[in-house]
Amino acid sequence: MMEGEMLTIRVPASTANLGPGFDSVGLALSLYLTVEAERAGQWEVVPESSCLEGFPRDSRHLIVQAAKKAAEHYSADLPPCILRVKSDIPLARGLGSSGAAIVAGIELADSLCGLGLSRHEKLSIAGRMEGHPDNVGASLFGGLVIGYQTGEEVLAAAFQHLGIEVLAVVPQEELLTKESRGALPASLTHQESVQAGAAANLLIAALLQGNYELAGKMMQKDLYHQPYRRKLVPHLDMIEEKAAALGVFGTALSGAGPAVVCFIAPEKGDQAADALSRILPQMDVLRLSIDQKGSTVSRHAVSGR
């Protein structure tokens, strides 16, 4: 990035797991983290959304930390910037807010340092930072992303243009990933592992085939995490029951929770969202589309402020 130039980085939110796709399946959603970056003498992060007020405003910020790690990986010098950050992604609700910040940092390093990284190279860095490829993969690629990660190897395949919408039911209270992870068992039996893997495989096949009734059925067959996290998210059972009567074909805990995502045909979205809002007045119901582009970066001249 040259002097007098500004970068605008836009990264979508994501939902992960989709039931049995634990730590491997992500879907990009139409909520966004937006970062405007200008060269400066030192790092400064300016929050432009009220939900971001409590975060560090210097180089300790997660976006800057991710950018520095990416630059260091390629032995590149990262020049300091002023970052103006906006977000409509609910924080600590299971909608990929930290994954989006990591992706934004990697995009920042790629642009500032002229690294010319491919999306798969960005995914490899992001997956190692996040610990799993589903949220960051969806935020990078857009659409439906199926990822695999072990050690240093991070792989993914992405699919666009699923004909569905997502209703995200977002409680007011946070649920930290660490607490939610603590509810999981240390191991599954061999038979449980076979059944869990089969449910995840059939979920993906059904989504790509457009057999949404079957996909919804597989979301209920998860053995990896939802049975153990239900006690932390008592609203999941109730939303599953109510949503089914509104035309929702599948319901799942979003990531580690506490948000719950409901999958529905676009023509039924408005009516179902209104009904869920009436049933759950203490929660926010967001009608979302699937983001098809993933993270984007644009350059333009700095205008007077």
Side-chain angles (χ1 to χ4, degrees):
M1 183 173 66
M2 307 295 290
E3 294 290 345
E5 196 175 41
M6 177 187 291
L7 292 176
T8 299
I9 300 166
R10 192 169 184 254
V11 184
S14 59
T15 182
N17 302 332
L18 278 64
F22 185 67
D23 274 4
S24 61
V25 179
L27 188 67
L29 300 176
S30 59
L31 296 167
Y32 296 92
L33 170 69
T34 304
V35 181
E36 290 184 342
E38 283 180 58
R39 293 281 291 270
Q42 61 184 21
W43 286 104
E44 181 184 358
V45 181
V46 180
E48 295 191 342
S49 299
S50 58
C51 64
L52 304 176
E53 291 288 345
F55 291 94
R57 300 194 180 197
D58 53 19
S59 62
R60 296 171 297 163
H61 195 283
L62 178 57
I63 294 173
V64 182
Q65 289 295 306
K68 285 187 169 187
K69 287 180 182 177
E72 286 170 7
H73 183 76
Y74 290 95
S75 302
D77 292 325
L78 184 71
C81 290
I82 180 169
L83 306 180
R84 295 177 176 86
V85 185
K86 292 183 285 192
S87 181
D88 49 19
I89 306 174
L91 303 178
R93 301 298 195 280
L95 291 167
S97 57
S98 64
I102 288 170
V103 169
I106 293 168
E107 293 284 19
L108 181 64
D110 181 49
S111 295
L112 288 175
C113 302
L115 300 177
L117 301 178
S118 69
R119 277 185 162 173
H120 282 281
E121 287 171 322
K122 293 171 185 174
L123 174 68
S124 182
I125 301 167
R128 292 197 297 271
M129 289 186 195
E130 178 79 339
H132 39 88
D134 43 7
N135 290 111
V136 291
S139 288
L140 272 166
F141 290 92
L144 176 71
V145 173
I146 300 92
Y148 170 87
Q149 182 168 343
T150 178
E152 292 292 298
E153 189 173 39
V154 187
L155 304 171
F159 302 88
Q160 269 71 30
H161 310 300
L162 297 185
I164 58 176
E165 285 190 350
V166 177
L167 304 179
V169 183
V170 185
Q172 298 300 316
E173 66 275 6
E174 296 182 355
L175 177 59
L176 298 178
T177 302
K178 183 177 179 181
E179 179 184 356
S180 192
R181 288 248 168 201
L184 302 181
S187 62
L188 299 177
T189 68
H190 184 269
Q191 183 59 34
E192 286 172 332
S193 299
V194 171
Q195 286 183 294
N201 294 341
L202 189 50
L203 166 67
I204 299 304
L207 285 172
L208 297 182
Q209 193 178 54
N211 186 341
Y212 298 132
E213 181 180 352
L214 179 57
K217 188 173 184 179
M218 289 303 100
M219 288 180 192
Q220 303 306 309
K221 300 293 186 182
D222 167 49
L223 298 176
Y224 288 124
H225 74 117
Q226 290 182 139
Y228 309 100
R229 287 172 164 167
R230 284 182 185 273
K231 62 180 179 291
L232 300 177
V233 283
H235 52 275
L236 176 58
D237 288 333
M238 188 253 291
I239 293 171
E240 284 175 336
E241 178 187 343
K242 300 294 184 183
L246 300 173
V248 167
F249 69 79
T251 303
L253 192 63
S254 185
V260 174
V261 285
C262 304
F263 297 84
I264 195 164
E267 63 270 16
K268 298 180 180 179
D270 268 340
Q271 187 174 354
D274 290 344
L276 279 174
S277 293
R278 289 193 298 272
I279 294 167
L280 303 162
Q282 74 281 20
M283 299 186 189
D284 294 325
V285 179
L286 310 176
R287 184 184 176 190
L288 306 173
S289 59
I290 299 173
D291 174 274
Q292 307 292 354
K293 291 184 177 180
S295 56
T296 60
V297 181
S298 58
R299 297 170 181 263
H300 40 96
V302 176
S303 58
R305 291 186 178 272

